[in-house]
């Protein structure tokens, strides 16, 4: 059997197995409506069940809270981290109107018991990839003064229109490199362009 | 035909087909195929390797303000992997210690640490750590609660047990600081003085010589001041008394004007590998060679006689031809060396384990030290250590005499309760002691460990301790070169396992049972250490408040006692201590010398549980994860031994089997196996790997000190029919990949005085 045959044979098996298992979430043959297709790959990740269905829409869109108000580490550290629980509580103590909502009750349950919320990672890169949030935020938000929703959205999509976040970009190596290859204007005043580093060691340390 | 159709797909079509491919998470695919666990770690390449919803990402509930996930915080502490006690800095991220580096405030480490120190992080995350106490029930060790375990300990020690003070023995390795103070306080509360420090690789012989000659066991060796170092088997760059400090000194010694290092030893150590000239010597004859040099030195016109005439007279017997015959070193080497010694002053002469571990070990070390006196090094490159204002915290060096003392008490059936911490005597004691059997007579044996080792497995109660990166402590290194440095050990992270406890907390609990009044004010070990450190403030002439003093001690990681230099004011030499001029008779039954090697990382096997150390190639041979027998290539040729042939090494005490490794850095009639492997317990990384050379050591001791002569065993070497691949880093051929990358010259051909 030559390579082509093996390949098709292999995918044939795979199709039938997946069809039987009905892995609808992990597997989107036609692409869900509104999904981007990048490099021929459907970029929409599976729906992730979170311990609390955090409504990004309410916070970032309706209330217009800057992403970095909660994700405060993104501009200071390689990892964006997850907002500290006392940050949620700090505000929600002041909003008694919503206190009885199931999600807020759950939030206070974690706080009262001093337990950290076991969120699930939605954008979990392999361990051999070092993505640096700080570097990107500093460049595009602080230096270029682009809107925060746009800057975060380069990789995370329009989270402000989501409830719990879901992956909508491929975030593959090719996808990263595509962006790094593009010419980005250095700043609003400096028309010179530069592109992202193309060195293996930049991300694989 | 589907087959034909597939064949007809051209590249363009394939690309289109590829676009229509479904995405399948690689992990899901493996799951579907029933491959999971370790195999699933294959996941990771291609554009589908990003995961969603698999792992958790938990936030802090209420962190300190300075905590930024992803950014590291650094805390100072002290390395406890060896008695050098280097100051370290731990890099901590998200509450986990990830990496240790040297603490620049520490004189000993000067901001650097060795591989052994680096690997200590693996103690913390070792999957085989003991996480709950264990007690013996029905002959077996079973998991228990702390209450159950401590009840057995208290019952054994309590009033009803009618125990007398000296029936309690506390066996440790070398120990210092408040660990030592607490152990002694605990024993004193029972009127016992039975703290026994046992170290299987002790430096006792050399220490005793230095004590007798200079009045100090550990005079400071100023390597960087010397221009020539003559070392008799002292592996100061490898498994020495303070490898990090001395390596730093050595680097400065090698700067212009470049110092010269001459190493004399039967088997090349790491330090030997760095030397300008390396002389192989017949094991045990180092002292004779040193006296050959001494004899030649005093003939020199520049020699300023301060030695007793009786001694200079007796040196005459050590003429270069006799010495050459006994030691196996070309007699002309003496002349070459002497010329260099007079030329390159000041010099420094060091004796090491392989010269001291013989029946005449004391005499060997004495003769070697004599060279320092003759060369006028005392006060220049051999100076007195600083005065230590904390005698109760001083380092106690463990030695073989510790094991002898324990053995005697066991023979007399005098031990009722035996505490053990930081030692594994069942593994390190030579076979002839039969320790395992004798221990079975002790009614209550308590091991305090982080991992079950061979000794803990035999105990009645095993208490799981915190790892060194979770623990408080103070340490005083055995070698204090420039100032008295107190290393402050502090937890770099919270404890990983809920049911592990601090050594100090266990002892304080026991002490409170005896003396509630004095110890009730210390709720825990932390408060005890804190108060002890704060009370020592006047010695440091600090004007800070108590809180600030403590905080600064934690921040700096070290406390330095203001300089108070001492002098070596008298040197005492007696000729009765000289090694005899005698040829070492061949032993027909056991024709080979057995010179085990001490690796800088494994030491006596206490670090075999750390996989980084197992996998890092031995610097001399590049072998990993195993034991091997080093044999000279010429001897191997005579015996028709190839690399990997399994050799049986047999002494009068027993035999071991290991793979041959052809090593030019060893005497022709000598074989060597490194210490450290051959564990039967101690977790997955240590157990059932290689062989334990301690078990074939002959019962020969140093005549003067009674220390075990680790390098005096004679063995038979027999080739078996088996051959196994030696797993090593170097290429298939030894000796510089079969190419002469670095040209070398036999020592007897080299004209040292002209060349170096
Ligand atoms: S020399 Fe000893 S104390 Fe220093 S880093 Fe190495 S193991 Fe630790």
């Amino acid at each position: 059997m030559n390579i082509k045959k093996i390949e098709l044979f292999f995918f044939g098996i795979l199709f039938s197995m997946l069809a039987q298992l009905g892995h609808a979430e992990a597997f989107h043959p036609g692409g869900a409506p509104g999904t981007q297709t990048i490099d021929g790959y459907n970029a929409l990740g599976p729906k992730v069940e979170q311990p609390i269905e955090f409504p990004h829409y309410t916070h970032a869109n309706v209330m217009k809270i800057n992403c970095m108000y909660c994700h405060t580490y993104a501009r200071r550290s390689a990892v964006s981290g997850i907002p500290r629980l006392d940050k949620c509580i700090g505000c929600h103590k002041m909003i008694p109107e919503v206190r009885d909502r199931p999600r807020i009750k759950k939030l206070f349950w974690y706080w009262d018991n001093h337990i950290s919320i076991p969120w699930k990672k939605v954008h979990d890169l392999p361990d051999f990839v070092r993505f640096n949030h700080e570097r990107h935020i500093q460049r595009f938000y602080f230096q270029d003064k682009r809107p925060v929703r746009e800057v975060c959205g380069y990789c995370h999509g329009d989270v402000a229109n989501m409830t719990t976040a879901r992956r909508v970009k491929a975030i593959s190596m090719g996808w990263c490199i595509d962006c790094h290859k593009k010419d980005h204007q250095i700043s609003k005043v400096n028309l010179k362009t530069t592109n992202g580093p193309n060195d293996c060691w930049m991300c694989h340390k | 035909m589907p087959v034909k159709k597939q064949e007809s797909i051209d590249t363009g079509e394939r690309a289109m087909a590829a676009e229509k491919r479904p995405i399948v998470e690689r992990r899901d695919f493996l799951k579907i195929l029933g491959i999971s666990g370790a195999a699933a770690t294959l996941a990771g390449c291609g554009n589908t390797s990003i995961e969603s919803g698999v792992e958790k990402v938990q936030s802090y509930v209420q962190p300190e303000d300075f905590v930024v996930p992803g950014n590291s915080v650094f805390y100072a502490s002290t390395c406890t992997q060896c008695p050098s006690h280097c100051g370290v800095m731990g890099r901590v991220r998200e509450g986990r210690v990830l990496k240790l580096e040297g603490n620049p405030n520490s004189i000993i480490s000067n901001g650097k640490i060795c591989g052994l120190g680096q690997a200590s992080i693996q103690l913390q995350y070792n999957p085989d750590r003991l996480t709950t106490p264990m007690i013996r029930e029905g002959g077996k060790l079973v998991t228990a609660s702390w209450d159950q375990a401590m009840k057995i300990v208290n019952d054994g020690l309590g009033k009803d047990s009618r125990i007398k003070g000296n029936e309690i023995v506390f066996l440790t390795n070398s120990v210092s600081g408040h660990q030592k103070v607490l152990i002694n306080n605990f024993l004193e509360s029972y009127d016992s003085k039975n703290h026994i420090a046992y170290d299987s690789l002790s430096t006792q012989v050399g220490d005793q010589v230095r004590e007798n000659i200079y009045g100090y066991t550990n005079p400071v060796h100023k390597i960087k001041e010397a221009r020539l170092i003559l070392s008799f088997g002292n592996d100061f760059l490898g498994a020495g008394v303070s490898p990090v400090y001395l390596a730093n000194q050595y680097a400065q010694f090698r700067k212009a004007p470049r110092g010269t290092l001459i190493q004399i030893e039967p088997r090349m150590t790491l330090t030997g590998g760095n030397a300008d000239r390396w002389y192989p010597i017949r094991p045990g004859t180092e002292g004779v060679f040193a006296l050959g040099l001494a004899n030649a030195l005093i003939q020199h016109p520049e020699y300023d006689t301060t030695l007793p005439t009786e001694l200079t007279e007796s040196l005459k017997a050590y003429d270069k031809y006799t010495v050459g015959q006994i030691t196996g070193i070309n007699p002309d080497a003496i002349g070459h060396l002497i010329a260099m010694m007079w030329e390159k002053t000041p010099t420094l002469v060091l004796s090491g384990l392989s010269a001291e571990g013989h029946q005449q070990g004391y005499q060997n070390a004495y003769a070697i030290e004599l060279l320092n006196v003759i060369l006028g090094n005392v006060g220049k490159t051999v100076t007195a250590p600083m005065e230590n204002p904390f005698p109760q915290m001083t380092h106690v060096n463990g030695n073989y005499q510790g094991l002898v003392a324990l053995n005697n008490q066991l023979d007399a059936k005098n031990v009722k309760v035996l505490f053990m911490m930081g030692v594994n005597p069942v593994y390190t004691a030579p076979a002839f002691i039969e320790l395992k059997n004798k221990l079975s007579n002790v009614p209550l044996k308590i091991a305090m460990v982080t991992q079950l080792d061979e000794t803990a497995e035999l105990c009645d109660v095993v208490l799981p301790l915190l790892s060194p990166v979770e623990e408080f402590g103070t340490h005083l290194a055995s070698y204090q070169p420039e100032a008295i440095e107190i290393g402050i050990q502090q937890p770099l992270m919270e404890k990983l396992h809920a049911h592990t406890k601090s050594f100090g907390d266990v002892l304080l609990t026991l002490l409170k049972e005896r003396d509630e009044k004095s110890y009730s004010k210390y709720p825990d070990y932390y408060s005890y250490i804190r108060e002890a450190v704060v009370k020592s403030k006047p010695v440091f002439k600090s004007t800070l408040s108590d809180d600030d003093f403590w905080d600064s001690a934690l921040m700096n990681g070290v406390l330095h006692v203001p300089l108070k230099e001492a002098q070596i004011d008298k040197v005492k030499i007696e000729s009765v201590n000289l090694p005899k001029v005698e040829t070492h008779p061949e032993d027909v039954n056991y024709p080979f010398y057995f010179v085990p090697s001490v690796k800088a990382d494994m030491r006596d096997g206490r670090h075999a549980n750390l996989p980084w150390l197992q996998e890092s190639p031995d610097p001399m041979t590049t072998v990993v994860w195993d034991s091997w027998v080093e044999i000279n290539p010429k001897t191997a040729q005579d015996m028709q031994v190839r690399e990997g042939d399994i050799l049986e090494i047999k002494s009068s005490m027993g035999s071991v089997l290991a793979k041959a490794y052809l090593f030019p850095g060893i005497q022709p009639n000598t074989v060597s196996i490194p210490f450290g492997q051959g564990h039967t317990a101690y977790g997955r990384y240590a157990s059932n790997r290689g062989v334990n050379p301690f078990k074939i050591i002959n019962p020969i001791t140093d005549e003067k000190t009674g220390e075990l002569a680790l390098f005096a065993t004679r063995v038979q070497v027999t080739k078996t029919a088996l051959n196994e691949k030696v797993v090593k880093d170097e290429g298939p051929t030894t000796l510089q990949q079969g190419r002469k990358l670095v040209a070398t010259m036999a020592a007897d051909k080299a004209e040292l005085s002209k060349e170096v």
Side-chain angles (χ1 to χ4, degrees), chain B residues 78-88 108-109 112-118 238 240-245 600 603 607:
Chain B
T78 299
C79 179
T80 56
Q81 294 282 82
C82 88
S84 317
H85 294 311
C86 297
V88 295
I108 298 171
S109 76
K112 311 282 183 296
I113 55 170
C114 73
L116 178 49
Q118 298 268 5
V241 65
S242 195
V244 174
Y245 176 78
R603 305 281 171 121
H607 304 300

Side-chain angles (χ1 to χ4, degrees), chain A residues 2 4-5 7-8 10-11 14-15 17-18 21 23 26-27 40-42 46 48 73 76-79 81-86 111 114-126 128 167 170-172, chain B residues 3 6-10 14 17-25 28-29 32-33 43-65 67-71 93-94:
Chain A
N2 63 23
K4 291 172 195 168
K5 286 182 208 161
E7 216 168 52
L8 285 175
F10 168 81
F11 276 100
L14 204 56
F15 265 120
M17 286 168 106
L18 287 170
L21 288 168
H23 262 233
F27 168 47
Y41 288 84
N42 187 329
V48 175
Y73 307 122
R76 300 188 194 136
S77 165
V79 302
I82 289 289
R84 43 198 284 176
L85 186 50
D86 58 354
W111 173 248
H114 219 75
I115 293 173
S116 89
I117 305 174
W119 301 107
K120 285 277 175 59
K121 276 191 188 177
V122 175
H123 297 88
D124 189 5
L125 288 173
F128 52 81
R167 177 164 60 81
I171 318 200
S172 63
Chain B
V3 174
Q6 282 167 25
E7 278 173 347
S8 72
I9 296 176
D10 66 19
R14 268 182 56 187
E19 276 193 13
K20 284 178 198 139
R21 268 176 213 162
I23 52 156
V24 180
E25 294 279 347
D28 291 333
F29 171 60
I32 294 161
L33 293 183
C45 22
N47 101 339
T48 53
S49 54
I50 183 165
E51 283 181 343
S52 295
V54 178
E55 287 195 9
K56 283 180 194 155
V57 51
Q58 277 173 274
S59 65
Y60 286 102
V61 175
Q62 209 174 6
E64 299 283 354
D65 278 341
V67 172
V68 176
N71 287 1
R93 234 193 72 181
E94 275 90 276

